[in-house]
Amino acid sequence: MDNEKQILDIIEQITRNDGTKYYELANIVMNGRAEKAAELGLIKEVRILKLNIPHSSAVSVYEDYVNENYTVPPMDLKEWVEYKKPEGKVRDAFNEILKANRIISKEDKTEE
């Protein structure tokens, strides 16, 4: 599975152990790993906010970035890896996805 291209179609809200929250794009397999991470205490909680999001050009940009830089976590998780969202094209695409799916308003932006 690590070598397969991941199609991202879910927006999650992940709560870190310190109580802070962030958004992530995922799929059902990745969501399962996040649920496992919560059970293991690596994160506090994961919630699915949107299912089957439209596959826009912004999703393609972020999806390509994730597939080039990360792999799906293994079932026997030892750590939780939070995806970075670098300034520029990747973060702009991510913010556009959140806005299009009404997760954040046009004035809001995610921060690294």
Side-chain angles (χ1 to χ4, degrees):
M1 162 152 285
D2 289 343
N3 296 330
E4 291 180 30
K5 182 177 191 269
Q6 297 301 305
I7 305 299
L8 306 179
D9 59 359
I10 294 173
I11 299 176
E12 303 173 318
Q13 181 183 63
I14 296 173
T15 305
R16 300 176 186 99
N17 284 332
D18 67 4
T20 60
K21 298 176 183 193
Y22 70 98
Y23 302 114
E24 191 55 77
L25 263 64
N27 59 34
I28 199 68
V29 172
M30 296 161 86
N31 180 259
R33 299 303 195 273
E35 291 287 348
K36 178 78 170 178
E39 289 174 9
L40 295 172
L42 302 173
I43 60 174
K44 191 177 227 177
E45 179 184 52
V46 60
R47 291 179 44 218
I48 295 175
L49 301 178
K50 292 277 185 169
L51 291 168
N52 300 320
I53 63 170
H55 200 271
S56 65
S57 58
V59 171
S60 290
V61 167
Y62 189 71
E63 198 171 70
D64 288 345
Y65 164 74
V66 168
N67 280 295
E68 290 169 12
N69 293 281
Y70 299 96
T71 59
V72 175
M75 274 304 288
D76 61 341
L77 288 167
K78 304 285 187 246
E79 66 176 342
W80 180 251
V81 176
E82 185 173 330
Y83 298 168
K84 303 287 184 208
K85 293 161 186 72
E87 284 284 342
K89 180 171 83 168
V90 172
R91 186 158 329 150
D92 291 347
F94 189 78
N95 285 329
E96 185 178 321
I97 296 161
L98 295 181
K99 289 174 196 166
N101 287 279
R102 299 177 183 208
I103 303 298
I104 63 172
S105 70
K106 292 180 182 180
E107 296 77 32
D108 295 335
K109 292 185 180 177
T110 58
E111 296 177 11
E112 190 55 30

